Amino acid sequence: MELSNKLALIGAIRSLGGSLLWSFTGFALYQYYKLPLTSVSLFYVAQAIVSSIAFIVSGYLTDLLGRVKTMVVSSVISSMVILIAFIINKPLIVIIMVLIQSFFNNAYGVANTSLVGDYAIGFSSLIRYFSRLRVGINAGWAIGPAIGGLLYEIYGFRLLLLLGSLIPLAALPLLVSLPETGRIPERGLTFHVNRRSALFLIPSFLTFLVMGQLGFPLLTKWSSLAL
């Protein structure tokens, strides 16, 4: 299988498992686990902070460990922590495990993007790789929420935790078969942010908050109308 198609298939599998879970996490904290809206809002804030830190740290990890190894390790840890959330099934544990998963999913994303950049030779190749990857990821996101809504309604959120932990593991055989592109020397980890980076990070952080909570009011409103 061509590398670009393999990456697209991996992206589709992972986004399917992720969208089954992420689309309903905030709603489940409110409806399924009976947490107040304040707690749900704080969860989204914490997730935005964790994700921002992950983007900084994971760049260093990607160069230190290698792209493929970072993707494999991040994928396994992400699935393990969600499986723990499924087994224990307590609100605080679910929140903590989902936040840990958010960190490693973003680490995976950084490594994945770096790998695509390494594989692509020339501008046209870069467009082809990223386009096919985006098609695969979008396909998973198109299917996941629709199936997830039905499963949530019939079986509850706990089943989504189980599927969210197991489905991404199906991509592991494809992941480990990817050729590594080698390590890039790195001087060390730094959290120094210049003015240009800060101007980029601030709106990105706010956008993440808005997009993270976009589905929550829609689900809550739809649920209230159904009742």
Side-chain angles (χ1 to χ4, degrees):
M1 183 185 299
E2 187 182 345
L3 279 174
S4 59
N5 293 331
K6 185 180 292 188
L7 288 170
L9 181 56
I10 293 171
I13 295 172
R14 286 186 51 80
S15 62
L16 172 60
S19 61
L20 280 172
L21 177 63
W22 301 333
S23 302
F24 302 96
T25 301
F27 182 67
L29 292 176
Y30 174 68
Q31 185 202 56
Y32 189 79
Y33 294 106
K34 308 300 181 184
L35 294 182
L37 288 174
T38 302
S39 298
V40 177
S41 298
L42 290 175
F43 161 74
Y44 281 115
V45 172
Q47 191 176 45
I49 294 172
V50 167
S51 298
S52 299
I53 296 173
F55 280 123
I56 298 173
V57 176
S58 55
Y60 173 74
L61 293 177
T62 297
D63 288 342
L64 180 66
L65 300 178
R67 281 78 160 114
V68 175
K69 189 173 182 178
T70 300
M71 292 164 66
V72 171
V73 171
S74 298
S75 182
V76 171
I77 294 178
S78 295
S79 291
M80 287 178 59
V81 296
I82 296 303
L83 186 60
I84 292 173
F86 164 77
I87 294 172
I88 299 178
N89 197 34
K90 299 294 183 182
L92 180 59
I93 299 300
V94 170
I95 289 174
I96 292 173
M97 294 301 109
V98 170
L99 291 178
I100 295 175
Q101 187 213 33
S102 296
F103 179 92
F104 284 100
N105 271 321
N106 283 300
Y108 177 96
V110 170
N112 190 28
T113 302
S114 301
L115 190 69
V116 171
D118 292 342
Y119 284 159
I121 302 175
F123 184 70
S124 60
S125 176
L126 187 66
I127 293 177
R128 185 180 78 254
Y129 268 87
F130 273 110
S131 297
R132 292 185 183 181
L133 176 63
R134 196 70 253 172
V135 167
I137 293 174
N138 288 345
W141 270 99
I143 299 172
I147 298 175
L150 179 63
L151 295 176
Y152 181 94
E153 183 70 23
I154 298 174
Y155 300 105
F157 183 68
R158 196 178 184 196
L159 178 63
L160 299 187
L161 288 171
L162 179 62
L163 294 176
S165 69
L166 296 181
I167 290 177
L169 292 177
L172 270 182
L174 292 173
L175 267 178
V176 298
S177 70
L178 293 173
E180 184 60 83
T181 58
R183 301 179 183 179
I184 300 176
E186 178 66 30
R187 290 181 297 176
L189 179 63
T190 175
F191 288 95
H192 175 71
V193 179
N194 58 31
R195 186 173 182 271
R196 177 178 293 182
S197 298
L199 291 175
F200 171 78
L201 288 174
I202 292 172
S204 298
F205 178 81
L206 296 175
T207 301
F208 184 93
L209 284 177
V210 173
M211 294 303 297
Q213 299 185 61
L214 183 61
F216 177 73
L218 295 177
L219 286 170
T220 306
K221 181 64 176 178
W222 180 263
S223 176
S224 63
L225 289 175
L227 293 175

